[in-house]
Amino acid sequence: MANSATLTTDPRAQWGGGKSPFSVSYGKLMMWIFLLSDAFSFSTLLISYGFIRHSFAGVTDNPWPSPDHVFNHFPFLHGMHLPLMFVSLMTFILIASSVTMVLAVEAGHRMAKGEVVKYMIMTIIGGAAFLGCQAWEWTQFIVGSEAGKTLADGTVVHGANLFQNEYGPVAFADLFFIVTGFHGFHVFSGVVINIIILIQTMNGVFEKRGHYEMVEKVGLYWHFVDLVWVFVFTFYYLI
Amino acid sequence: MSAHEATEHLEHTESPSDMKAKIWKTFWILLVLTLVDIGFYFIFSPSIYRNYLFIVLGLVKAYFIVGIFMHMKFERKFLVWMIVLPMSFVIYLITLMVIEGNYTDNARNVEGNQVIHAPAEQHQDGGHGH
């Protein structure tokens, strides 16, 4: 018990103070805890979606729409029925940018400044491309089809906003805007933070500091955004 | 035990080619799983079983993103449980909300779909009661 070898193997000694019992830095630990709380926010939004959609299961006069008939457009291929194609492209873009991010983290471990810069730029381009795709997706959804939907009183509704929805219940559009909007805002913040870290990397801030841990922290955030998209993709477009 | 874990942690971060191989392997796994998702979407007609399949595939993808990309697989067990265990509350909320969703669906049908779609008419109906 008394010698130092047993002290290091004793789990109680890890909690005695003076070092992180998680063997991660304070900043990284706080990033994990932030992401946990953020995961709760997104879970709540997606569960609300599930709840409201489930509660419409038996409604027949204005049923919950199938994503097949709402999100079936692709840029430059006007008028073609292509469900899931555009959103799959968005998913690939986000996964690819996640890979370049983790490669930047890996380059940071080796203190390879040039590679960190290269991969960070690729990650930022991926994030920006995703945001562009989402803007296009929203535009399609808001503008709607040319035919629109004729209501009982004769008015024709085109597309969707917070008050009317061509495709089905208004709640469908509301949930689409809040969930993909909240996720899109996360992507946007991620791109902004990535740009800040890229500038700091180029200025040699982390090289002077002796480690690239900031890249790891924004990496955690960026992968989380990708993770959320996996579930948005699953619940909005697949189910 | 903890010393062994610490050296293991170092090994994982400090061999670049090993880590790079792991990253690309994970990328291909995620890509294939997404393609499987798309395949199932077109092969099977919508059903509750197809939905379960999509959720399971989503969880597998989440495992790889959190485990490899976010490096969770190589962190201390205590950190892993600190993040993963609170997420079990989400399962509890899902259970509650599925029950509640069923109830709301029944209530809507009893009211003849009037609750949400035509609040004005419902108000008139209520007026008769008074």
Side-chain angles (χ1 to χ4, degrees):
Chain A
M1 266 296 177
N3 72 48
S4 59
T6 43
L7 268 180
T8 47
T9 52
D10 182 6
R12 279 169 300 178
Q14 289 176 20
W15 298 88
K19 61 180 168 186
S20 167
F22 301 99
S23 97
V24 291
S25 72
Y26 172 79
K28 237 168 131 179
L29 192 61
M30 291 304 115
M31 180 53 96
W32 271 113
I33 290 171
F34 164 70
L35 293 181
L36 177 64
S37 69
D38 223 19
F40 280 138
S41 311
F42 276 109
S43 307
T44 319
L45 284 172
L46 284 173
I47 292 167
S48 311
Y49 172 80
F51 161 64
I52 293 171
R53 182 177 176 170
H54 200 68
S55 76
F56 272 91
V59 173
T60 47
D61 67 336
N62 187 21
W64 198 262
S66 160
D68 235 51
H69 304 297
V70 185
F71 309 109
N72 57 0
H73 310 282
F74 202 90
F76 311 116
L77 296 171
H78 187 73
M80 286 172 82
H81 177 67
L82 297 162
L84 210 63
M85 286 300 110
F86 189 58
V87 77
S88 303
L89 176 72
M90 286 165 76
T91 309
F92 291 140
I93 289 171
L94 212 55
I95 290 174
S97 82
S98 219
V99 171
T100 54
M101 184 78 233
V102 78
L103 287 170
V105 172
E106 194 273 330
H109 284 305
R110 289 183 281 115
M111 300 295 291
K113 183 181 159 186
E115 274 188 69
V116 175
V117 169
K118 183 180 88 181
Y119 287 126
M120 286 299 285
I121 289 172
M122 284 162 83
T123 308
I124 291 162
I125 290 170
F130 180 86
L131 284 173
C133 290
Q134 201 164 42
W136 192 84
E137 182 93 335
W138 273 47
T139 310
Q140 287 297 312
F141 190 58
I142 293 166
V143 171
S145 65
E146 277 153 34
K149 186 176 80 171
T150 313
L151 297 179
D153 61 350
T155 51
V156 181
V157 175
H158 294 285
N161 54 45
L162 294 177
F163 309 105
Q164 52 186 21
N165 182 357
E166 171 191 333
Y167 306 102
V170 174
F172 174 78
D174 293 353
L175 284 159
F176 178 79
F177 287 128
I178 183 70
V179 178
T180 62
F182 198 52
H183 176 264
F185 182 67
H186 273 74
V187 177
F188 174 74
S189 332
V191 169
V192 171
I193 298 165
N194 279 347
I195 289 170
I196 294 168
I197 296 299
L198 172 67
I199 292 167
Q200 285 191 308
T201 310
M202 279 159 53
N203 289 344
V205 173
F206 306 125
E207 206 165 37
K208 258 179 249 158
R209 201 176 283 175
H211 59 80
Y212 280 82
E213 209 194 68
M214 280 310 285
V215 180
E216 284 183 50
K217 285 178 213 161
V218 296
L220 281 178
Y221 179 78
W222 192 252
H223 299 313
F224 175 76
V225 168
D226 185 24
L227 178 69
V228 170
W229 182 254
V230 164
F231 288 101
V232 172
F233 176 67
T234 302
F235 288 104
Y236 261 88
Y237 296 96
L238 292 175
I239 289 180
Chain B
M1 182 64 185
S2 62
H4 174 68
E5 269 176 19
T7 49
E8 219 176 32
H9 178 82
L10 281 177
E11 273 168 26
H12 278 298
T13 48
E14 295 213 346
S15 66
S17 58
D18 195 40
M19 194 61 210
K20 260 191 177 161
K22 219 168 253 160
I23 291 165
W24 284 110
K25 204 179 128 198
T26 311
F27 169 72
W28 288 114
I29 289 169
L30 290 174
L31 199 67
V32 167
L33 285 175
T34 310
L35 287 172
V36 167
D37 263 341
I38 297 164
F40 283 167
Y41 185 85
F42 289 111
I43 292 165
F44 300 122
S45 50
S47 72
I48 190 77
Y49 303 107
R50 195 182 78 165
N51 292 351
Y52 286 141
L53 215 55
F54 287 144
I55 292 167
V56 169
L57 281 169
L59 290 172
V60 174
K61 279 186 267 182
Y63 170 80
F64 282 106
I65 292 171
V66 177
I68 309 290
F69 284 179
M70 295 170 90
H71 217 260
M72 180 74 112
K73 239 177 133 180
F74 316 114
E75 302 290 1
R76 284 270 166 84
K77 288 282 181 295
F78 199 89
L79 176 62
V80 175
W81 286 116
M82 189 181 77
I83 302 300
V84 173
L85 271 185
M87 288 309 288
S88 60
F89 286 111
V90 169
I91 298 164
Y92 181 54
L93 184 62
I94 291 169
T95 314
L96 290 184
M97 281 302 160
V98 166
I99 295 166
E100 192 65 19
N102 263 328
Y103 174 78
T104 314
D105 185 29
N106 288 337
R108 277 204 182 115
N109 288 331
V110 168
E111 301 281 332
N113 296 351
Q114 300 292 301
V115 181
I116 290 260
H117 308 301
E121 277 174 39
Q122 233 235 325
H123 186 251
Q124 280 176 357
D125 287 345
H128 284 293
H130 283 289

